[in-house]
Amino acid sequence: MGAHARHKDLEDLAAEARAALVHRIDESGAWADDPVWREAFEAVPRHVFVPYYYVGVAGGYERRWGESPDPRARERWVRGAYADAPLATRMRDGELLSSSSQPSLMAMMLAALEIEDGARVLEIGAGTGYNAALLAHRLGDDGLVTTIDLEPEITEAARRHLAAAGYRPFVVTGDGARGVPERAPFDRIIATCTLASIPRAWLAQCTPGARILTPLATGLIALTVRDAGHAEGRFLHTPAYFVPLRGEGRPEPEPARLGGVPHRAREHELFRFLLVLSSGSLDPHEAYQLWEREGWPPRERYGITVSGGREWAWLDDPEGPYVWTLGG
């Protein structure tokens, strides 16, 4: 009886923390254009997907665990599971391999995906399975949601978490840059890992008019697919920092030589966005001159076009004066 009561108390605490998280996301305006996501975040228990996670402490990381024998540690675990913050879920030799993204950013991305009933969705980067569960809740368990990750231990854990929460999306182990051709075509593709360029395989697996949303160059690019050889779109306004895609299509390192660039620009996140986006095509000084000349342009002035075997980024106009090959 005592153990059952303690378990029930923990579930009550999780429900209260989940309601508080939903309220915080409400206040952020993340799903103003598609409030159906509110129901998904109310229903899907995030703590089931993060049975343990790591938080930064002086000198390293502290592991929080839902099965800790210390009731105060379990309470910290469940409260932390519903913080509006990213949670590190897999570490190897001090390197972050996988995480559960910040819920308000997830909500904004899901709303920006503009999902309609009956849409077939591919998620690149299974992570804990939480995002796939939100998609499955929104679309139903009719085989509409597919999620893929390169690491077998990640996909196995995602399957366990999804089963425990009562959701059954299709979970694939493989290279996300290659998509999942056997599950195509897709109406939406969403990535939860950052890329250096748009994999051509994704376009080939999309229906005409499909939407692709992926992190790239510390931003989020939303592309509309015309056909297997053409897609185009602009960045959303928000910054976004994700774990890099492992396997094909991994991003190149950010250029480090910033000689001649004023300190105020080096530290400005919009300049660093341009620096990563134009890496290999513009040197840092050229990027700084463009950035100053155009009045520190926000992310939504930039876009990407994939067409005719080429891929380029641009400012304001895909055929305008400021264009450069993506990824150099």
Side-chain angles (χ1 to χ4, degrees):
M1 175 66 74
H4 177 75
R6 286 195 298 273
H7 179 72
K8 185 176 186 301
D9 288 345
L10 203 62
E11 289 301 317
D12 289 344
L13 182 59
E16 292 171 8
R18 187 158 62 251
L21 173 61
V22 169
H23 179 68
R24 284 193 293 274
I25 301 175
D26 261 337
E27 290 183 326
S28 77
W31 48 45
D33 296 331
D34 194 353
V36 70
W37 290 110
R38 187 182 205 279
E39 180 187 340
F41 278 83
E42 285 176 331
V44 178
R46 192 188 191 200
H47 69 286
V48 171
F49 295 86
V50 286
Y52 62 86
Y53 55 87
Y54 302 89
V55 296
V57 295
Y61 289 90
E62 173 190 287
R63 186 176 187 260
R64 291 187 181 173
W65 180 39
E67 297 298 322
S68 170
D70 182 351
R72 292 170 299 181
R74 293 196 300 272
E75 181 176 335
R76 286 194 299 272
W77 161 76
V78 79
R79 289 190 185 280
Y82 289 99
D84 187 24
L87 299 175
T89 54
R90 287 190 181 272
M91 308 287 296
R92 182 182 296 159
D93 298 327
E95 179 188 1
L96 176 62
L97 296 182
S98 186
S99 64
S100 179
S101 302
Q102 181 179 9
S104 59
L105 178 59
M106 294 171 68
M108 186 278 293
M109 290 176 66
L110 289 168
L113 201 57
E114 299 178 1
I115 289 177
E116 299 174 350
D117 292 346
R120 295 179 61 84
V121 179
L122 172 62
E123 178 193 33
I124 310 296
T128 66
Y130 180 50
N131 201 58
L134 293 165
L135 286 162
H137 186 88
R138 166 69 175 83
L139 291 167
D141 270 328
D142 297 321
L144 296 175
V145 178
T146 301
T147 185
I148 182 171
D149 207 288
L150 186 65
E151 299 285 343
E153 68 243 35
I154 290 178
T155 51
E156 281 303 312
R159 287 189 188 99
R160 290 196 304 271
H161 302 158
L162 286 159
Y167 296 100
R168 297 182 299 277
F170 199 83
V171 182
V172 179
T173 303
D175 186 350
R178 298 178 182 178
V180 187
E182 65 272 24
R183 299 283 297 168
F186 300 105
D187 303 299
R188 299 289 187 271
I189 294 179
I190 182 171
T192 56
C193 45
T194 193
L195 307 177
S197 61
I198 307 301
R200 301 299 193 274
W202 294 4
L203 273 62
Q205 293 170 34
C206 280
T207 58
R211 188 169 175 86
I212 295 174
L213 182 67
T214 181
L216 194 150
T218 77
L220 292 167
I221 184 70
L223 300 169
T224 299
V225 178
R226 187 177 72 192
D227 53 44
H230 183 94
E232 187 171 274
R234 290 182 180 269
F235 282 87
L236 305 185
H237 73 280
T238 186
Y241 300 89
F242 285 82
V243 174
L245 175 70
R246 295 181 301 281
E248 293 185 1
R250 65 183 64 189
E252 296 298 319
E254 181 180 335
R257 296 185 181 89
L258 297 178
V261 176
H263 182 76
R264 67 188 179 98
R266 297 183 194 194
E267 299 302 315
H268 200 293
E269 58 102 5
L270 285 175
F271 174 68
R272 299 193 70 82
F273 165 72
L274 171 59
L275 201 61
V276 178
L277 186 63
S278 63
S279 176
S281 295
L282 299 178
D283 66 40
H285 188 65
E286 289 174 317
Y288 171 68
Q289 288 181 317
L290 185 157
W291 187 68
E292 278 285 328
R293 186 165 56 246
E294 290 299 314
W296 304 10
R299 281 180 173 81
E300 55 267 39
R301 285 181 58 187
Y302 297 90
I304 288 174
T305 301
V306 182
S307 184
R310 295 174 55 225
E311 184 173 9
W312 67 96
W314 39 268
L315 177 67
D316 294 332
D317 183 348
E319 304 298 334
Y322 300 124
V323 300
W324 52 89
T325 302
L326 193 62

